[in-house]
Amino acid sequence: MDKNLILRDLPGMDRLLQEDGVRKAAAEAVLSEIRAEILAGEIAAVPPYAEILKLVRSTAPTGLKRVINATGVVLHTNLGRAPLAARAADAVARAAAGYSDLEFDLKTGERGSRLSELRAKLRALTNAEDALAVNNNAAAVLLALSALCAGREVVVSRGELVEIGGSFRVPEVIAQGGARLREVGATNAVNIADYANAISDETAALLKVHTSNYRILGYTKEVSVAELAELAKNRGLPLIYDLGGGSLVDIGFEPKVQEIVAQGADIVCFSGDKLLGGPQAGIILGRADLIEKCRKHPLYRALRLDKLSLAALCATLEIYENLEQAGREIPVLSMLTASPAEILQKARDLLALVSPQAQKRLEIVETSAQAGGGSLPGAEFPSYALALREPAQLKQALRTREIPIIARVHRDMLLLDLRTIDPDDFTEIATALGELL
Ligand SMILES: *Cc1c(COP(=O)(O)O)cnc(C)c1O
């Protein structure tokens, strides 16, 4: 039969679009696929309408695709860093789908502040005088420098002039903030006298930057936050600390944000979606007069947090009001703090779900997981993985599935690291391994 005649049986776009749950992009994709199959002679007739409709409805939306992170890197920058806690994700969905009291005071019926609840929560959790949140930590640092240091000098250790990734380089951010960089010390060593000698009438602030994604081994010297804070106070200057990933709980590698505040840093900036385990955001904590300057700076309006991130951040911070709960509910924390024994048990549970013939080719091996996201460089998190000896094609096959599974290859073994795998995904992974092995 003439292919063009067969094509006439294809349902029209209009008809499909009148059905519930049909997206235009999905309908177009399915229709063009069927058209191509007919023209290629792969099928001799248009499938029944009900079948086409089912296909259209089940075609996943374009945009961000959910993936399973089996890399063992908890804050994987390429995979979206921190997954939100369920409660935070619910808060986002509610804020997204309806109206909210974003800038409305329900008690007085007047205009309110979008930040008041967030401020109260951050102050209670960190003992900082005041707090502000913007779109990400890069924005937080840029805003603090612009509002507090423009036109004057910022004193920074040479060893802290880091590049975080993308185009975030400390010297360039200082220049973008309209300030001048005054470097002190050497790459590997700086002492308090270096800072003291660099202070002049031109100085606006001392800046400390967490070196996040790199570490110098061997002979190194740096100045503690407490010492820098004392110097800053004596000279009437603010100490600004770009902490990178700040944590509110003890994860065994880094001081907590509360401790940095207590040690006297006047402004502390950190990311919402690194160790905090919340949405992309930049949090600025510190002295009320300095935070007020940040809030009043014109850049604040350009960098401010949107309502979805605000909803997620408030919900995440609410979980921290009970620290034990935070350890369980915040995915980043539960992944980072899981014990090797718990992870080994997860590995056994996953292996038990895999088909017997696939099981024969898999083994459980010890691995080393990472925090990622430029946090805790060099810190190793003992972990376990399901391992396969011949990794080559499987890595790609797992990655190109309907729900992609992202594995890593190490020493000729394909590893599915259990530290970052959610048990809710075990069935999906077991099915994939059963089909592929
Ligand atoms: C990650 C990081 C940043 C950038 O934070 P984003 O939230 O990714 O914008 C800035 N400074 C330091 C020290 C960092 O580690």
Side-chain angles (χ1 to χ4, degrees):
M1 191 166 156
D2 184 348
K3 284 170 185 162
N4 285 315
L5 279 178
I6 305 178
L7 285 177
R8 282 195 198 162
D9 294 339
L10 265 182
M13 195 64 174
D14 293 348
R15 182 168 173 204
L16 281 168
L17 285 178
Q18 273 163 22
E19 307 279 359
D20 285 341
V22 165
R23 287 171 306 107
K24 187 159 179 242
E28 277 167 0
V30 169
L31 291 181
S32 89
E33 172 102 28
I34 296 172
R35 198 174 291 118
E37 283 172 14
I38 290 167
L39 292 175
E42 289 164 18
I43 51 176
V46 167
Y49 180 74
E51 204 170 293
I52 294 177
L53 186 58
K54 208 169 129 198
L55 264 175
V56 169
R57 284 183 171 145
S58 66
T59 300
T62 50
L64 295 180
K65 203 177 178 111
R66 179 174 104 79
V67 308
I68 294 173
N69 177 7
T71 63
V73 181
V74 175
L75 296 167
H76 199 302
T77 305
N78 302 146
L79 304 182
R81 276 204 200 152
L84 291 179
R87 263 205 266 173
D90 289 347
V92 174
R94 275 197 306 276
Y99 294 108
S100 62
D101 64 347
L102 181 68
E103 290 187 356
F104 186 71
D105 186 330
L106 293 170
K107 280 201 202 96
T108 61
E110 317 255 303
R111 186 170 199 273
S113 158
R114 64 168 59 204
L115 282 178
S116 51
E117 188 191 338
L118 181 72
R119 263 166 104 180
K121 285 191 160 57
L122 282 168
R123 285 166 59 184
L125 287 166
T126 66
N127 295 320
E129 276 179 31
D130 203 353
L132 190 65
V134 287
N135 186 43
N136 54 27
N137 188 38
V141 176
L142 178 63
L143 177 60
L145 290 169
S146 307
L148 308 175
C149 307
R152 291 192 294 150
E153 285 184 1
V154 177
V155 181
V156 195
S157 160
R158 284 207 165 82
E160 296 176 359
L161 297 176
V162 297
E163 173 178 312
I164 299 302
S167 50
F168 190 92
R169 289 178 166 173
V170 171
E172 288 163 24
V173 176
I174 290 173
Q176 189 63 45
R180 291 190 304 278
L181 169 63
R182 179 80 163 81
E183 301 175 36
V184 295
T187 307
N188 59 325
V190 65
N191 53 47
I192 192 76
D194 295 323
Y195 285 95
N197 292 335
I199 295 173
S200 72
D201 293 346
E202 286 296 293
T203 310
L206 306 186
L207 173 66
K208 186 168 175 59
V209 181
H210 194 293
T211 52
S212 292
N213 53 10
Y214 92 110
R215 216 166 41 142
I216 300 183
L217 299 175
Y219 176 68
T220 61
K221 264 194 303 185
E222 68 171 320
V223 181
S224 72
V225 180
E227 250 181 307
L228 275 180
E230 193 188 328
L231 174 65
K233 195 170 173 206
N234 288 339
R235 305 295 282 268
L237 297 168
L239 169 63
I240 302 172
Y241 191 177
D242 173 10
L243 192 53
S247 177
L248 295 176
V249 301
D250 190 358
I251 42 167
F253 295 92
E254 298 269 341
K256 294 183 284 185
V257 173
Q258 306 86 298
E259 288 164 5
I260 307 282
V261 171
Q263 283 160 13
D266 299 288
I267 287 286
V268 180
C269 303
F270 63 100
S271 273
D273 58 347
K274 288 186 183 170
L275 299 175
L276 188 71
Q280 180 187 305
I283 294 163
I284 312 179
L285 301 173
R287 248 170 59 193
D289 60 323
L290 304 177
I291 296 286
E292 187 59 18
K293 281 189 183 160
C294 295
R295 192 181 287 118
K296 291 210 165 117
H297 193 276
L299 259 186
Y300 169 63
R301 179 61 174 77
L303 302 176
R304 72 178 185 185
L305 207 58
D306 78 292
K307 65 177 180 178
L308 304 187
S309 305
L310 182 64
L313 189 54
C314 281
T316 303
L317 293 172
E318 198 167 279
I319 300 174
Y320 277 98
E321 287 165 8
N322 175 339
L323 290 185
E324 206 189 310
Q325 203 171 43
R328 276 195 317 270
E329 279 193 42
I330 296 192
V332 168
L333 285 188
S334 70
M335 286 188 263
L336 286 176
T337 58
S339 71
E342 288 169 296
I343 297 174
L344 178 58
Q345 189 54 51
K346 277 172 77 179
R348 291 183 176 139
D349 293 346
L350 174 55
L351 190 59
L353 289 175
V354 175
S355 69
Q357 81 271 24
Q359 261 182 27
K360 280 193 210 114
R361 297 177 56 194
L362 293 162
E363 61 192 298
I364 295 175
V365 299
E366 277 183 65
T367 59
S368 179
Q370 288 166 44
S375 311
L376 321 178
E380 307 230 311
F381 293 79
S383 188
Y384 287 91
L386 283 197
L388 181 84
R389 295 268 162 209
E390 326 91 275
Q393 312 107 15
L394 196 64
K395 188 176 183 207
Q396 195 200 347
L398 287 169
R399 197 181 62 232
T400 49
R401 288 177 62 81
E402 175 69 31
I403 300 177
I405 300 169
I406 316 297
R408 80 170 190 275
V409 172
H410 181 67
R411 292 201 185 122
D412 286 342
M413 276 191 300
L414 180 95
L415 301 177
L416 297 171
D417 197 309
L418 273 295
R419 192 173 276 277
T420 50
I421 298 175
D422 184 339
D424 288 348
D425 291 327
F426 280 3
T427 319
E428 177 63 31
I429 296 171
T431 307
L433 291 171
E435 282 170 21
L436 295 169
L437 292 177

